[in-house]
């Protein structure tokens, strides 16, 4: 395909260099946004009297026909084109003749690509936000179903205190709610139009940048043309937000993998979201969760690549910036795929309530409650803590759990220990009595579920 920039240079580009330079293999994804942006630009040129009504109609008709033909498969991307922008402009000129050449008035590929990428990422972010909401809903439904399932809460991967499965799942709902907010914030900052910044310095034509910005759904036009063409902060912000989504998905996946193991067996994954082994007939593998965990690294790589690509760039546009697209597309696509598999994986898993509860029996996870019981009877907490420490050491030695120690044995440790201690250390009581805001108590969990649902309905 002929080069649109064949102005000064008369020689032909080396074939290898040409292929190396080309981005159409990946930026063709933005054809809709490129056409949308071009139509808005032409509309602005018409409104400002820079092109005639007739020219605008021809350009618009030509661009619409290109979109239709790409979508019907009639027009294939020419991989010898430099990028999606030059491809569409060349096809337009082929179709409507000289008028097509007027489209690039008061515009450059530098502001064009910056505009297309923002428009494209806004759409992907809508999908990501919807995916986040779907996952939050799955977690909340699963939490609601399992409000009474008592399990071990862990610190240092050691059994710590009894919590409910609902409380644990709702912790993830909170992470994804923050992720939703981060995407919303980043999109809000990204929603300004670079279009009309031209190559870097703006234009001598009497354009109306605000008008074309509004046509494209932006809040307004960016304030500085040099910044307009060289800003890729939004790529970094989005990739950072995507990385954190992946961190959360990866932590959740790790727990699913652990919980599905025979060592835990707190959950059973549905057959639809697990796989078998080609040699071991008994295997049921949590591949989906493992893949999500594994793909997290790619998204971190996308973020690092983009940050590193930007760090030494002088203003304004540099070709290095073409590298932004593969990273941000990969990041977005990976997040979209992972969210789309995580939600139904959560929906379809079964919580094995008895196994989760059985694990609570070991590990003295009600020891804090015994210390609280003593403290409420007037023993300073630090002293109570020490006494319970020695009770636990005694229980370990005797091979007993705290509820198996007799009152007679308890009395040798402290006079304040009475028969009501058994209710205080009952696992259900331990959960029920947690009344602080956000705690694992049944009432608090109900309140949390209500709030998450309010967020989802908003
Ligand atoms: N394909 C290029 C990119 O993705 C488009 C902008 C090219 N601009 C230029 N002056 N060479 O960044």
């Amino acid at each position: 395909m002929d080069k649109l920039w064949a102005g000064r240079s008369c020689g032909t580009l080396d074939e290898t260099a040409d292929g190396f330079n080309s981005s159409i293999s990946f930026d063709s994804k933005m054809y809709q946004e490129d056409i949308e942006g071009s139509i808005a630009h032409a509309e602005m040129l018409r409104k400002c009297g820079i092109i005639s009504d007739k020219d605008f109609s021809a350009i618009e008709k030509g661009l619409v026909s290109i979109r239709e033909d790409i979508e019907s498969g009639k027009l294939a991307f020419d991989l010898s084109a430099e990028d999606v922008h030059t491809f569409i402009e060349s096809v337009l000129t082929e179709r409507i003749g000289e008028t097509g050449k007027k489209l690039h008035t008061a515009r450059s590929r530098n502001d064009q690509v910056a505009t297309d990428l923002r428009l494209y990422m806004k759409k992907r972010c809508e999908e990501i936000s919807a995916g986040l909401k779907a996952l939050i809903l799955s977690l909340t439904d699963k939490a609601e179903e399992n409000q009474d399932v008592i399990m071990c809460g862990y610190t240092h991967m050691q059994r710590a205190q009894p919590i409910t499965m609902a409380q644990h799942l709702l912790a993830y709902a909170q992470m994804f709610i923050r992720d939703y907010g981060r995407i919303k914030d980043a999109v809000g900052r990204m929603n300004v139009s670079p279009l009309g910044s031209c190559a870097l310095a703006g234009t001598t034509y009497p354009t109306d940048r605000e008008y074309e910005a509004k046509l494209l759904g932006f809040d307004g036009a960016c304030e500085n043309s040099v910044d307009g063409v060289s800003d890729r902060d939004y790529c970094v912000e989005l990739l950072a937000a995507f990385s954190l989504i992946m961190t959360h998905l990866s932590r959740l996946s790790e727990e699913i993998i652990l919980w599905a193991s025979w060592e835990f067996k707190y959950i059973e994954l549905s057959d639809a979201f697990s796989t078998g082994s080609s040699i071991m007939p008994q295997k049921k593998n949590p591949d989906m969760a493992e893949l999500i965990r594994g793909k997290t690294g790619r998204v971190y790589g996308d973020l690092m690549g983009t940050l590193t690509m930007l760090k030494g760039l002088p203003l304004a546009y540099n070709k290095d910036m073409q590298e932004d697209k593969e990273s941000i597309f990969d990041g977005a696509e990976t997040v979209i795929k992972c969210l789309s598999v995580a939600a139904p994986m959560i929906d379809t898993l079964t919580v094995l309530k008895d196994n989760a509860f059985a694990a609570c029996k070991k590990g003295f996870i009600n020891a804090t409650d015994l210390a609280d019981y003593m403290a409420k009877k007037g023993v300073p907490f630090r002293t109570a803590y020490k006494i319970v420490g020695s009770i636990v050491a005694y229980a370990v030695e005797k091979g007993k759990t705290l509820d198996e120690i007799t009152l007679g044995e308890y009395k040798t440790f402290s006079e304040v220990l009475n028969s009501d201690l058994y209710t205080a250390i009952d696992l259900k009581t331990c959960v029920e009595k947690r009344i602080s805001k956000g705690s694992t108590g049944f009432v608090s969990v109900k309140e949390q579920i209500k709030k998450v649902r309010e967020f989802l309905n908003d």
Side-chain angles (χ1 to χ4, degrees):
M1 192 167 237
D2 286 346
K3 295 282 171 274
L4 290 177
W5 44 256
R8 167 187 162 168
S9 92
C10 313
T12 18
L13 189 61
D14 171 86
E15 211 180 302
T16 313
D18 198 15
F20 186 68
N21 198 39
S22 170
S23 55
I24 193 159
S25 63
F26 49 86
D27 66 18
S28 57
K29 279 187 201 308
M30 305 191 300
Y31 76 90
Q32 283 179 347
E33 294 70 27
D34 196 71
I35 290 172
E36 202 186 328
S38 290
I39 293 175
H41 184 66
E43 164 65 30
M44 182 279 292
L45 293 175
R46 182 202 62 78
K47 180 200 156 246
C48 296
I50 302 166
I51 61 170
S52 67
D53 290 354
K54 197 165 147 258
D55 286 344
F56 167 69
S57 301
I59 290 173
E60 188 190 34
K61 217 165 132 235
L63 288 169
V64 169
S65 77
I66 292 174
R67 179 164 56 205
E68 281 167 3
D69 290 352
I70 292 174
E71 276 159 13
S72 70
K74 223 161 109 189
L75 176 64
F77 293 109
D78 178 351
L79 293 179
S80 75
E82 188 174 326
D83 52 31
V84 67
H85 326 290
T86 46
F87 171 73
I88 290 174
E89 199 189 321
S90 308
V91 177
L92 180 70
T93 303
E94 261 165 47
R95 291 190 177 189
I96 68 166
E98 287 299 293
T99 309
K101 297 184 181 170
K102 295 189 180 173
L103 173 63
H104 216 52
T105 315
R107 183 178 84 167
S108 148
R109 270 186 302 156
N110 297 349
D111 57 339
Q112 193 179 351
V113 70
T115 306
D116 292 2
L117 189 54
R118 284 176 196 238
L119 290 172
Y120 183 86
M121 287 314 298
K122 268 168 61 177
K123 291 188 195 157
R124 298 293 79 77
C125 286
E126 274 174 27
E127 289 173 55
I128 292 174
S129 299
L132 283 168
K133 279 202 162 177
L135 177 58
I136 296 165
L137 178 63
S138 303
L139 288 163
T140 311
D141 287 346
K142 203 42 77 176
E144 191 153 46
E145 255 171 68
N146 293 286
Q147 285 179 79
D148 59 337
V149 176
I150 296 175
M151 61 176 265
C152 297
Y154 296 81
T155 64
H156 310 269
M157 209 50 219
Q158 299 288 316
R159 294 175 183 179
Q161 288 179 342
I163 58 169
T164 59
M165 177 65 81
Q167 174 76 354
H168 200 102
L169 295 174
L170 289 168
Y172 283 102
Q174 291 300 325
M175 298 178 213
F176 295 116
I177 289 175
R178 289 194 294 277
D179 288 328
Y180 184 91
R182 262 183 285 272
I183 298 285
K184 197 170 162 201
D185 291 348
V187 170
R189 256 186 304 282
M190 173 173 83
N191 202 27
V192 286
S193 169
L195 197 56
S197 297
C198 305
L200 77 161
T203 181
T204 54
Y205 289 96
T207 54
D208 187 344
R209 292 193 53 219
E210 293 296 337
Y211 179 72
E212 60 186 354
K214 291 280 153 56
L215 286 180
L216 290 170
F218 287 111
D219 294 332
C222 68
E223 295 295 333
N224 180 296
S225 61
V226 171
D227 183 47
V229 292
S230 57
D231 171 31
R232 294 295 183 274
D233 288 2
Y234 59 96
C235 295
V236 173
E237 277 195 60
L238 288 177
L239 281 166
F242 298 167
S243 294
L244 211 39
I245 294 174
M246 292 306 297
T247 304
H248 298 150
L249 283 171
S250 188
R251 292 179 79 173
L252 175 61
S253 297
E254 170 68 10
E255 302 221 67
I256 287 178
I257 294 161
L258 284 175
W259 291 355
S261 72
W262 279 106
E263 282 67 18
F264 281 79
K265 264 294 168 239
Y266 291 179
I267 57 166
E268 184 73 38
L269 285 172
S270 117
D271 287 352
F273 288 89
S274 37
T275 59
S277 152
S278 56
I279 175 170
M280 297 168 280
Q282 85 285 9
K283 288 299 284 294
K284 185 166 177 186
N285 295 330
D287 287 29
M288 307 308 136
E290 291 170 288
L291 271 173
I292 293 172
R293 190 178 57 185
K295 285 178 189 291
T296 303
R298 295 168 65 124
V299 181
Y300 292 178
D302 293 329
L303 170 64
M304 281 307 126
T306 304
L307 278 169
T308 314
M309 177 274 286
L310 286 172
K311 77 175 265 291
L313 292 189
L315 301 179
Y317 177 83
N318 298 270
K319 190 73 175 219
D320 314 45
M321 287 174 166
Q322 182 163 287
E323 291 293 308
D324 58 4
K325 278 169 275 312
E326 281 167 294
S327 301
I328 193 115
F329 293 167
D330 181 70
E333 279 156 27
T334 306
V335 169
I336 290 168
K337 274 192 230 153
C338 291
L339 287 171
S340 73
V341 85
M345 177 175 69
I346 299 289
D347 282 335
T348 54
L349 64 77
T350 310
V351 172
L352 303 174
K353 185 176 172 159
D354 295 341
N355 291 355
F357 188 66
C360 295
K361 295 275 178 196
K362 290 207 179 118
F364 307 101
I365 63 175
N366 43 6
T368 315
D369 295 85
L370 185 56
D372 283 343
Y373 163 92
M374 293 179 75
K376 282 179 192 154
K377 300 231 165 184
V379 182
F381 182 79
R382 220 6 102 210
T383 313
Y385 169 93
K386 274 209 142 166
I387 297 170
V388 175
S390 36
I391 295 173
V392 170
Y394 173 83
V396 172
E397 194 194 307
K398 298 282 172 198
K400 289 183 170 188
T401 59
L402 291 182
D403 57 332
E404 286 166 355
I405 296 176
T406 65
L407 191 57
E409 291 173 294
Y410 271 124
K411 285 286 182 198
T412 64
F413 289 94
S414 167
E415 264 313 305
V416 303
L417 293 164
N418 276 313
S419 60
D420 56 349
L421 77 84
Y422 294 101
T423 322
I425 62 166
D426 176 74
L427 294 171
K428 186 158 179 243
T429 319
C430 298
V431 171
E432 203 158 46
K433 286 277 161 68
R434 286 196 155 67
I435 50 169
S436 55
K437 183 187 158 126
S439 69
T440 191
F442 300 116
V443 175
S444 156
V445 164
K446 276 209 161 38
E447 185 57 27
Q448 293 182 52
I449 291 173
K450 195 175 132 226
K451 285 205 177 150
V452 177
R453 293 212 187 279
E454 276 166 18
F455 161 83
L456 288 172
N457 294 330
D458 200 16

